[in-house]
């Protein structure tokens, strides 16, 4: 397959989820492939994203679990949390995973090049003092946390730094209203920090189903997080004792030991040499792509978060697979972006798949909504007041389930299975004819019979 005039058939800049998958699969189809990475082998997800975040979520859930245990007859002394143990065990696990990725790429025959790739022209990339040529080049550098500039913004940290803080912040201030902000507020609250979350809008998790957003806000506030909507920081001042004072736009102030800004991410395109290639960008700075992830430069491609689509690891993996199959295995493959499930690992977890009620009302002439709210069986003895909310949205004409939403323990695990049914086109009648597993929370999805009154 190799062409003699190039060093490689495919050269990928970025060893994140999409880049690694595309490189491995292309190599397995016979292409000569190299991948360039300057910092995080495995990308954001493995190093400063979903993997360490989920480990910290697990850690944050033990405090409530210890309390729950007493109701089930377990006599426990007050547990103590040790931040360095969690942090250092996380570092060890991520280091192990980095090695797994290196081994995986090497085993697939992919050449790994350390450094920041920079375009020299549309077929040439320079890394350090060496140049490499390729028939096709893929950009898969992902996105980077963005902290807006304002007086004192240099004292704020991003999700890149929050995992490895030298000391555990007893007072944590989280700014933002998306996945990352909501999840880290839950993490630090669960680990024992006095936690405040600010969001400039009236309600966080924009784009999610409105009922889920409102239910989550109620439960998250009940968990002990000080939720403040329509709030924003004007300045941050560092005090002599190292603490930080956030002065808000409304004139009030909050004192914290650390301030995490989770207000968005931007394409990681710095120092890529874009002046030397004709790669067009969208208005928001993401890379514009067409069929088969092709950019405006015909032999340069882009996939993953950097293209402005759904910023989810499984989506980048699917895109990497589709790219490799199409271009290196003569197997035309596209990614179906409809009905993609996702989860927010806050407390309680949120899982969702398909359309929100608001989106469904815009798309269909008539919908039927089923929902249920209850206290999970586990908490009736454990004593926790936390509640669960479930919701089904049905296109009335076809009886097809077009949206499914849950806020409650293990929501992500439950919605993954429900997503398979939705992808297969399951109707509400099929849900109704499915026998539930008793006693579980998940069975509620197949026992909701009465539609919500409009």
């Amino acid at each position: 397959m190799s062409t003699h005039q190039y060093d490689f058939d495919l050269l990928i800049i970025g060893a994140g989820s999409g880049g690694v998958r595309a490189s491995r699969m292309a190599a397995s189809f016979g292409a000569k492939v190299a991948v360039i990475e300057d910092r995080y082998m495995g990308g954001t997800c493995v190093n400063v994203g979903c993997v360490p975040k989920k480990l910290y979520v697990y850690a944050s859930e033990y405090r409530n679990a210890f309390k729950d245990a007493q109701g089930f007859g377990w006599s426990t002394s007050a547990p103590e949390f040790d931040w360095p143990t969690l942090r250092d065990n996380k570092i060890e696990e991520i280091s192990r995973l980095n090695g797994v990725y290196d081994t995986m790429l090497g085993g697939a025959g992919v050449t790994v090049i350390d450094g920041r790739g920079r375009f020299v022209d549309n077929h040439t990339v320079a890394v350090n003092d060496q140049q490499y040529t390729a028939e096709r080049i893929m950009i898969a550098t992902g996105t980077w946390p963005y902290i807006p500039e304002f007086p004192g913004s240099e004292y704020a940290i991003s999700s890149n730094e929050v995992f490895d803080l030298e000391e555990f912040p007893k007072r944590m201030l989280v700014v933002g209203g998306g996945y990352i902000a909501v999840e880290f507020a839950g993490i630090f609250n669960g680990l024992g920090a006095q936690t405040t979350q600010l969001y400039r809008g009236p309600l966080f998790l924009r784009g999610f189903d409105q009922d889920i957003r409102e239910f989550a806000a109620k439960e998250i506030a009940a968990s002990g997080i000080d939720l403040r909507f329509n709030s924003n920081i004007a300045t941050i001042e560092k005090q002599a004792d190292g603490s930080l004072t956030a002065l808000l736009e409304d004139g009030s102030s909050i004192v914290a030991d650390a301030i995490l800004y989770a207000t968005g991410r931007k394409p990681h395109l710095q120092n890529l040499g874009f002046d030397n290639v004709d790669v067009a960008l969208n208005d928001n700075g993401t890379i514009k792509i067409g069929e088969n992830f092709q950019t405006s430069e015909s032999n340069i491609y882009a996939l993953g978060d950097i293209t402005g689509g759904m910023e989810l690891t499984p989506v980048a993996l699917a895109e990497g697979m589709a790219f490799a199959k199409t271009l290196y295995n003569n197997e035309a493959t596209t990614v179906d972006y409809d009905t993609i499930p996702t989860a927010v690992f806050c407390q309680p977890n949120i899982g969702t798949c398909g359309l929100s009620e608001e989106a469904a009302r815009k798309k269909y002439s008539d919908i039927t909504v089923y929902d249920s709210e209850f206290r999970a069986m586990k908490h009736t003895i454990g004593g926790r007041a936390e509640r669960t909310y479930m919701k089904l949205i049905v296109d009335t004409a076809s009886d097809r389930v077009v949206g499914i939403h849950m806020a409650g323990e293990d929501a992500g695990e439950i919605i993954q299975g429900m997503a398979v049914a939705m992808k297969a086109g399951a109707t509400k009648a099929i849900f109704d004819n499915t026998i539930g597993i008793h006693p579980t929370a998940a069975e509620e999805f197949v026992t909701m019979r009465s539609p919500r009154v409009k």
Side-chain angles (χ1 to χ4, degrees):
M1 181 179 290
S2 294
T3 55
H4 295 294
Q5 67 185 108
Y6 301 115
D7 298 322
F8 298 98
D9 298 312
L10 175 63
L11 184 60
I12 297 179
I13 306 174
S17 301
V20 168
R21 176 61 61 87
S23 65
R24 286 179 54 224
M25 297 311 301
S28 74
F29 297 141
K32 185 178 181 182
V33 184
V35 62
I36 302 167
E37 177 55 51
D38 64 336
R39 184 167 185 177
Y40 292 135
M41 176 54 67
T44 294
C45 178
V46 170
N47 294 272
V48 288
C50 27
V51 172
K53 174 198 69 182
K54 190 70 180 291
L55 293 174
Y56 280 24
V57 168
Y58 285 139
S60 72
E61 291 173 341
Y62 278 100
R63 186 176 69 158
N64 279 333
F66 286 129
K67 293 179 182 177
D68 293 345
Q70 297 177 26
F72 288 91
W74 290 92
S75 178
T76 60
S77 57
E80 294 184 2
F81 171 66
D82 185 61
W83 170 257
T85 298
L86 172 62
R87 180 195 62 207
D88 296 347
N89 285 344
K90 182 274 302 181
I91 291 172
E92 183 177 344
E93 173 60 10
I94 298 309
S95 178
R96 183 189 72 82
L97 291 175
N98 293 153
V100 169
Y101 272 79
D102 273 321
T103 300
M104 187 166 54
L105 289 170
V110 176
T111 300
V112 177
I113 302 170
D114 296 323
R116 183 69 170 169
R118 186 177 186 278
F119 283 103
V120 176
D121 58 45
N122 64 322
H123 285 285
T124 310
V125 175
V127 184
N128 302 319
D129 297 325
Q130 192 164 348
Q131 294 188 358
Y132 303 89
T133 61
E135 179 185 11
R136 294 186 177 103
I137 299 174
M138 163 71 71
I139 307 168
T141 51
T143 56
W144 204 253
Y146 169 70
I147 299 177
E149 290 189 10
F150 58 89
S153 61
E154 66 271 18
Y155 300 122
I157 61 174
S158 74
S159 55
N160 280 0
E161 299 84 42
V162 72
F163 293 103
D164 298 305
L165 297 175
E166 189 65 27
E167 295 182 1
F168 181 74
K170 293 181 180 179
R171 297 164 297 182
M172 188 70 178
L173 175 56
V174 179
V175 182
Y179 286 74
I180 297 172
V182 172
E183 289 170 338
F184 274 107
I187 286 170
F188 281 96
N189 178 62
L191 295 178
Q194 178 185 321
T195 304
T196 302
Q197 182 181 352
L198 301 182
Y199 180 52
R200 64 183 180 181
L203 187 62
F204 56 23
L205 296 175
R206 185 163 49 91
F208 282 76
D209 183 89
Q210 183 70 12
D211 285 333
I212 285 289
R213 297 170 72 196
E214 293 176 359
F215 180 85
K218 180 179 66 176
E219 290 296 311
I220 288 171
S223 75
I225 295 173
D226 182 6
L227 276 182
R228 302 194 189 183
F229 298 125
N230 296 311
S231 297
N232 203 17
I233 293 178
T235 65
I236 298 174
E237 297 176 355
K238 189 167 186 177
Q239 307 303 317
D241 63 357
S243 66
L244 303 172
T245 299
L247 301 175
L248 307 190
E249 292 176 349
D250 64 4
S252 63
S253 64
I254 300 172
V255 179
D257 299 304
I259 300 177
L260 169 65
Y261 255 76
T263 49
R265 299 174 67 88
K266 289 193 173 183
H268 192 33
L269 301 177
Q270 293 77 13
N271 303 316
L272 280 183
F274 267 31
D275 291 343
N276 300 320
V277 291
D278 182 25
V279 174
L281 303 181
N282 295 305
D283 292 340
N284 62 1
T286 56
I287 296 177
K288 185 179 294 185
I289 58 171
E291 190 175 356
N292 296 328
F293 310 102
Q294 191 174 43
T295 71
S296 53
E297 191 79 77
S298 62
N299 71 297
I300 297 178
Y301 301 76
L303 55 72
D305 295 357
I306 204 167
T307 62
M310 297 185 74
E311 296 183 2
L312 298 171
T313 291
V315 172
L317 292 172
E319 290 177 345
M321 179 71 82
F323 168 82
K325 284 183 174 180
T326 299
L327 294 177
Y328 294 101
N329 201 43
N330 196 29
E331 184 182 350
T333 305
T334 58
V335 178
D336 183 357
Y337 295 98
D338 288 334
T339 321
I340 293 177
T342 188
V344 184
F345 295 105
C346 49
Q347 287 92 9
N349 291 179
I350 295 171
T352 183
C353 185
L355 300 175
S356 66
E357 180 178 343
E358 295 71 39
R361 291 196 183 280
K362 291 180 180 179
K363 184 172 182 178
Y364 298 101
S365 59
D366 185 44
I367 64 170
T368 306
V369 178
Y370 300 81
D371 63 358
S372 176
E373 181 182 329
F374 55 91
R375 189 182 186 194
M377 179 180 179
K378 177 181 178 180
H379 301 324
T380 59
I381 288 183
R384 207 185 310 181
E386 181 180 290
R387 298 183 67 78
T388 294
Y389 177 71
M390 295 179 171
K391 183 175 185 178
L392 285 173
I393 300 165
V394 179
D395 169 31
T396 307
S398 66
D399 196 42
R400 183 171 176 172
V401 177
V402 296
I404 186 166
H405 309 275
M406 175 180 175
E409 190 169 0
D410 293 326
E413 305 290 345
I414 292 170
I415 294 299
Q416 178 65 84
M418 296 295 172
V420 176
M422 285 189 62
K423 202 72 174 177
T427 61
K428 182 61 167 63
I430 290 175
F431 272 69
D432 292 344
N433 288 328
T434 300
I435 296 175
I437 301 172
H438 186 74
T440 66
E443 70 175 318
E444 192 75 10
F445 276 123
V446 298
T447 59
M448 286 190 277
R449 296 291 188 269
S450 300
R452 191 177 68 191
V453 178
K454 295 182 181 179

